[in-house]
């Protein structure tokens, strides 16, 4: 039998309730602070390109990017507390937990149309479908159990697996401590290829949570509802500059890795090869049939209701708010009305 799931976000989430007080918002709209969910690496390529190529400057903005990571506050905490005006949340469930605590946050776009999170497994015992999780020894960060539970629950399968806490290194999987490992398409699979010499599809497999039946956006761009309403043009301008930066990255993926290694990530020991592979992989998650039709960063509230909310309910979140109160496409519509598509493309 598996161990009882304990949320790693309980303490941090408790700090969200009641944030802001009665003093009212105080915004520096020309230099908004943007809370990232991870370190300043190529995951945020579009932001750093937009900064470098002055797309934000064209909007009258000089954003300040606050790095995330293991020791940094969650973006939802930073935004709810007023320490940042925008946030990028890479965990759909964690964001909704912040909302369920009463924080009036609203998603205005999604960098990743599906999460690059998923399951890494070796050829000896590949995890390719929910049934393969049954009886497995699952290695993951604390709290991942709820995602495995949801996968099995939605597939009408028993919660029959053993969970073992693991860090962010895939070494535990390679060393045979488990059969499956919770990782990201843009992280551990690259390590298996570059450091262990393994071949994806032969020696190891990566299966996203979306492919296992848990669709959900990731790196969702959000802000507080009162900020959106009070500073709508600022929100649109930041979104427009960000979209243009990502459009440039899609058209010219070799540009961002060197920019990040030499610039925002210069003190992080980033390797150009890893960042180049990372950027190439993530572009597949930036686009979708929806973005092909409407444009990158687009969100679909109806899709959230029909395909994403069920996975949230399966993880013990039954009382979800109406989707239209959490996902707002007005900024996207306004941003795309004024985007010069050619200006974002390389010469």
């Amino acid at each position: 039998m598996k161990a009882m799931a304990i949320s790693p976000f309980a303490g941090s989430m408790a700090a969200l309730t009641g944030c802001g007080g009665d003093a009212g918002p105080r915004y520096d709209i020309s230099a908004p602070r943007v809370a990232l969910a991870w370190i300043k690496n190529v995951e945020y390529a579009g932001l750093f390109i937009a900064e470098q190529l002055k797309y934000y400057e064209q909007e009258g903005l000089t954003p300040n990017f606050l790095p995330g990571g293991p020791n940094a506050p969650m973006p939802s905490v930073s935004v709810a507390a007023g320490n940042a005006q925008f946030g990028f949340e890479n965990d759909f469930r964690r964001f909704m937990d912040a909302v369920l605590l009463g924080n009036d946050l609203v998603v205005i776009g999604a960098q990743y149309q599906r999460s690059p999170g998923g399951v890494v497994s070796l050829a000896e015992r590949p995890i390719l479908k929910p049934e393969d999780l049954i009886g497995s020894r699952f290695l993951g960060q604390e709290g991942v159990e709820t995602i495995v539970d949801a996968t099995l629950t939605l597939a009408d399968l028993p919660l029959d697996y053993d969970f073992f806490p693991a860090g962010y290194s895939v070494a535990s999987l390679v060393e045979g401590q488990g059969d499956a490992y919770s990782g990201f398409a843009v992280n551990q699979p690259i390590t298996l290829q570059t450091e262990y010499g393994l071949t994806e599809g032969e020696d190891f497999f990566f299966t996203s949570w979306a492919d296992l039946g848990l669709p959900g956006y990731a790196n969702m761009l959000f802000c507080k509802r009162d900020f959106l309403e009070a500073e709508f043009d600022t929100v649109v301008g930041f979104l427009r500059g960000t979209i243009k930066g990502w459009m440039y990255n899609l058209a010219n993926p070799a540009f961002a890795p060197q920019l990040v290694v030499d610039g925002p990530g210069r003190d992080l020991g980033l390797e150009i090869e890893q960042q180049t592979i990372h950027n190439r992989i993530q572009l597949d998650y930036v686009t979708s049939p929806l973005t092909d039709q409407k444009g990158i960063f687009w969100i679909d509230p109806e899709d959230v209701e029909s395909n994403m909310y069920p996975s949230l309910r399966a993880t013990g979140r039954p009382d979800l708010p109406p989707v239209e109160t959490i996902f707002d496409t007005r900024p996207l519509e306004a941003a795309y009305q004024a985007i010069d598509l050619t200006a974002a493309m390389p010469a």
Side-chain angles (χ1 to χ4, degrees):
M1 296 294 293
K2 69 175 187 66
M4 181 180 296
I6 301 175
S7 173
F9 312 124
S12 296
M13 282 299 175
L16 283 168
T17 56
C19 290
D22 298 324
R26 296 293 184 268
Y27 303 127
D28 180 357
I29 61 174
S30 66
R33 296 181 298 279
V34 184
L36 308 180
W38 194 238
I39 60 174
K40 292 184 178 181
N41 68 0
V42 80
E43 178 175 336
Y44 302 105
L47 308 185
F48 302 135
I49 290 174
E51 183 178 49
Q52 176 72 17
L53 300 185
K54 303 187 184 308
Y55 296 148
Y56 292 130
E57 183 178 304
Q58 294 167 13
E59 303 293 339
L61 302 174
T62 55
N64 179 22
F65 300 112
L66 310 177
N71 300 316
M74 290 181 296
S76 50
V77 171
S78 296
V79 173
N83 296 324
Q85 283 70 61
F86 297 101
F88 278 88
E89 178 55 75
N90 59 12
D91 189 318
F92 183 63
R93 296 155 192 82
R94 186 167 62 197
F95 175 81
M96 290 305 300
D97 283 342
V99 171
L100 291 171
L101 283 173
N103 295 283
D104 198 9
L105 307 176
V106 58
V107 176
I108 58 173
Q111 175 179 315
Y112 294 147
Q113 295 294 297
R114 59 190 179 98
S115 173
V119 180
V120 184
S121 59
L122 300 179
E124 290 79 3
R125 198 187 191 290
I127 306 294
L128 306 177
K129 55 188 184 299
E131 291 82 354
D132 297 331
L133 291 168
I134 297 176
S136 68
R137 298 172 298 155
F138 199 99
L139 302 163
Q141 301 75 40
E142 194 174 5
V144 169
E145 308 100 303
T146 61
I147 304 178
V148 182
D149 287 358
T151 301
L152 293 170
T153 298
L154 288 174
D156 198 24
L157 296 169
L159 306 185
D160 178 15
Y161 67 98
D162 293 307
F163 182 82
F164 300 93
Y168 290 95
S169 171
V170 75
S172 55
L173 177 67
V174 177
E175 293 167 0
Q177 298 178 27
D179 306 308
Y181 176 88
S182 174
F184 294 85
V186 294
N187 190 335
Q188 290 82 10
I190 300 176
T191 300
L192 290 175
Q193 295 176 68
T194 60
E195 296 185 16
Y196 291 92
L198 303 184
T199 301
E200 186 169 5
E202 297 180 10
D203 304 314
F204 76 92
F205 298 88
F206 175 82
T207 308
S208 71
W209 292 118
D211 291 335
L212 289 169
L214 292 182
Y217 294 126
N219 272 13
M220 299 176 297
L221 175 59
F222 70 95
C223 62
K224 294 174 78 170
R225 169 66 66 178
D226 62 4
F227 181 72
L228 172 62
E229 301 302 340
E231 302 294 347
F232 187 81
D233 290 344
T234 298
V235 173
V236 171
F238 179 76
L239 182 57
R240 182 162 49 231
T242 300
I243 289 171
K244 290 167 67 175
W246 273 102
M247 288 171 58
Y248 189 100
N249 190 43
L250 283 165
N252 187 12
F255 180 77
Q258 195 68 58
L259 170 66
V260 172
V261 169
D262 294 340
R266 60 184 174 276
D267 298 324
L268 300 176
L270 302 176
E271 297 179 356
I272 187 66
E273 179 186 13
Q274 194 277 343
Q275 292 291 282
T276 299
I277 299 173
H278 181 152
N279 198 34
R280 186 179 69 241
I281 292 173
Q282 74 177 347
L283 296 184
D284 184 51
Y285 291 85
V286 170
T287 57
S288 69
L290 176 64
T291 65
D292 290 344
Q293 176 186 4
K294 306 277 285 185
I296 58 174
F297 268 76
W298 207 270
I299 50 178
D300 183 354
E302 292 184 3
D303 187 43
V304 174
E305 175 68 52
S306 59
N307 294 318
M308 301 180 194
Y309 262 23
S311 71
L312 292 171
R313 297 187 179 101
T315 55
R317 301 169 174 90
D319 300 320
L320 299 172
V323 170
E324 61 271 16
T325 67
I326 309 300
F327 293 82
D328 194 329
T329 61
R330 291 180 301 149
L332 279 165
E333 293 164 356
Y336 271 104
Q337 286 176 359
I339 277 185
D340 179 359
L341 299 181
T342 60
M345 293 299 163

